């Protein structure tokens, strides 16, 4: 697994290590308070083989080994949204570490939307499956670091950004600075909302390190995955919003691009798992769990 560490810049700045998952292009993070060694696991992947509908926790286990080797203590298991491209490892990590798991409060609304798509009334209960559902503007502690939650809709209607010191985990809003931004065409998504979320993130201090959710190398002249750039770099160089792109130009570009994209191959599996914090559907009478896949809906 390709990894890279971004060093702390002082007592109120986390050390951040990213772990790249090539199967989904996802970046998973360990953010650690430099003074206390308390850590948050952010957007960690549950491995999944779509051909066999088989899941594993190999990637998550690698991250837990890293935490152990570094002498860190997991204080939070965090997700930014119910991911469409991968299954989340939230529940498993909670069981392994004893740390509470959390996501944004609007996951309740996302659950209601997908209950209708899957025709599974009452299937999703985020208040049961997550220990905390964060509201916009809410704060909590990671060791000696204060973490602020920003509602960042657009990719989904309930995506959130975690801001801790000079680091912000901005998930599927920005792509890397040489690529642009993330899609906004999934159910509940909106390019107009995404523009507002991007502008709110760009209003953070210019030296804030933005850590994104995905990368898909090779890109241009870059062969290795990348996931960190400052607010200042995105303002200057991001091809979708850099240089003060207008709302109209951005939404036109985003909508035209999104219309050409197919669904991620894990999406219809992933949402029914992620809206249960990474748990499979309840076993049926034979003791096995079964995915429900809507036909001809997309």
């Amino acid at each position: 697994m390709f990894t890279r560490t971004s060093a702390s810049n002082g007592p109120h700045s986390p050390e951040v290590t990213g772990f790249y998952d090539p199967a989904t292009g996802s970046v998973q993070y360990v953010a650690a308070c430099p003074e206390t060694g308390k850590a948050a696991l952010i957007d960690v992947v549950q491995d999944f083989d779509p051909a066999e509908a088989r899941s594993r926790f190999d990637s998550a286990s690698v991250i837990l080994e890293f935490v152990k080797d570094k002498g860190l203590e997991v204080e939070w298991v965090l997700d930014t949204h119910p991911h469409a491209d991968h299954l989340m490892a939230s529940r498993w990590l909670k069981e392994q570490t004893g740390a509470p798991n959390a996501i944004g409060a609007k996951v309740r609304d996302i659950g209601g939307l997908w209950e209708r798509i899957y025709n599974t009334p009452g299937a999703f209960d985020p208040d049961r499956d997550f220990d905390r559902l964060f509201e916009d503007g809410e704060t909590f502690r990671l060791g000696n670091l204060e973490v602020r939650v920003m509602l960042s809709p657009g990719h989904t209607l309930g995506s959130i950004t975690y801001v801790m010191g000079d680091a912000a985990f901005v998930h599927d809003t920005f792509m890397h600075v040489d690529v642009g931004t993330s899609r906004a065409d999934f159910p509940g998504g909106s390019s107009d909302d995404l523009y507002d979320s991007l502008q709110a993130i760009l209003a953070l201090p210019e030296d804030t390190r933005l850590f994104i959710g995905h990368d898909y190398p090779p890109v241009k002249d870059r062969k290795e995955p990348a996931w960190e750039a400052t607010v200042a770099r995105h303002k200057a160089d991001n091809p979708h919003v850099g240089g003060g792109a207008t709302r109209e130009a951005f939404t036109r570009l985003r909508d035209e691009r999104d219309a050409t994209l197919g669904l991620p191959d894990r999406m219809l599996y992933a949402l029914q798992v992620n809206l249960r914090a990474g748990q499979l559907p309840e076993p049926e009478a034979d003791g096995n769990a079964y995915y429900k896949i809507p036909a001809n809906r997309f």
Side-chain angles (χ1 to χ4, degrees), residues 16 94 96 114 140 219 247 267 272:
V16 179
K94 172 183 173 178
Q96 299 301 307
W114 280 90
F140 61 98
V219 177
R247 179 187 300 274
M267 178 174 170
Q272 61 195 289

Side-chain angles (χ1 to χ4, degrees), residues 175-180 212 228-230 233-235 237-239:
M175 298 293 285
H176 193 53
V177 69
D178 57 359
V179 176
I212 61 172
E228 175 187 352
T230 63
R233 282 197 63 201
H234 278 283
K235 280 184 175 180
D237 299 328
N238 188 293

Side-chain angles (χ1 to χ4, degrees), residues 2 4 20-27 175-176 178-179 212 214-227:
F2 186 88
R4 186 184 293 118
Y20 183 73
D21 176 53
T24 62
S26 303
V27 190
M175 298 293 285
H176 193 53
D178 57 359
V179 176
I212 61 172
H214 294 282
D215 192 39
Y216 304 103
V219 177
K220 298 180 181 177
D221 298 325
R222 175 170 59 82
K223 296 182 179 179
E224 290 187 341
W227 51 76

Side-chain angles (χ1 to χ4, degrees), residues 12-275:
H12 302 293
S13 168
E15 178 180 273
V16 179
T17 301
F19 299 78
Y20 183 73
D21 176 53
T24 62
S26 303
V27 190
Q28 312 156 86
Y29 294 103
V30 175
C33 170
E35 295 182 312
T36 66
K38 298 293 181 65
L41 310 182
I42 304 174
D43 288 343
V44 177
V45 169
Q46 178 180 168
D47 305 293
F48 182 70
D49 180 353
E52 297 181 355
R54 183 174 295 277
S55 54
R56 310 179 314 281
F57 294 98
D58 297 351
S59 297
S61 296
V62 169
I63 291 173
L64 289 184
E65 282 298 314
F66 171 86
V67 167
K68 180 180 178 181
D69 291 345
K70 293 278 287 185
L72 302 174
E73 179 185 350
V74 178
E75 191 169 28
W76 288 98
V77 175
L78 305 175
D79 279 275
T80 54
H81 64 290
H83 312 275
D85 62 297
H86 71 261
L87 278 63
M88 66 171 63
S90 174
R91 178 57 177 264
W92 186 83
L93 289 169
K94 172 183 173 178
E95 292 170 348
Q96 299 301 307
T97 65
N101 64 341
I103 199 167
K106 285 188 174 291
V107 73
R108 299 184 183 103
D109 299 325
I110 299 172
L113 176 65
W114 280 90
E115 282 180 358
R116 294 190 291 275
I117 292 172
Y118 287 119
N119 192 30
T120 53
F124 307 127
D125 184 357
D127 293 275
R128 173 196 64 207
D129 294 326
F130 293 93
D131 295 305
R132 289 283 294 274
L133 298 177
F134 291 123
E135 299 284 354
D136 183 32
E138 192 169 350
T139 62
F140 61 98
R141 307 294 297 185
L142 174 65
N144 292 339
L145 298 171
E146 181 178 84
V147 185
R148 177 168 61 93
V149 175
M150 293 174 59
L151 180 63
S152 302
H155 179 69
T156 76
L157 62 87
S159 301
I160 59 173
T161 291
Y162 297 104
V163 182
M164 52 182 80
D166 67 345
F169 299 88
V170 301
H171 51 93
D172 298 9
T173 51
F174 289 97
M175 298 293 285
H176 193 53
V177 69
D178 57 359
V179 176
T181 59
S182 297
R183 65 192 296 174
D185 61 323
F186 295 150
S190 161
S191 60
D192 201 53
D193 288 345
L194 182 59
Y195 181 82
D196 289 336
S197 295
L198 295 166
Q199 296 306 313
I201 292 167
L202 290 177
L204 294 169
E206 294 214 334
D207 62 351
T208 303
R209 297 171 288 163
L210 304 185
F211 295 96
I212 61 172
H214 294 282
D215 192 39
Y216 304 103
V219 177
K220 298 180 181 177
D221 298 325
R222 175 170 59 82
K223 296 182 179 179
E224 290 187 341
W227 51 76
E228 175 187 352
T230 63
V231 165
R233 282 197 63 201
H234 278 283
K235 280 184 175 180
D237 299 328
N238 188 293
H240 292 179
V241 294
T246 65
R247 179 187 300 274
E248 291 74 20
F250 172 78
T251 55
R252 181 172 61 252
L253 180 153
R254 188 70 268 163
D255 292 345
E256 289 176 356
R257 169 64 176 156
D258 291 350
T260 70
L261 302 176
L263 293 186
D265 63 359
R266 291 159 171 76
M267 178 174 170
L268 297 179
Y269 294 99
L271 269 298
Q272 61 195 289
V273 172
N274 293 342
L275 287 163

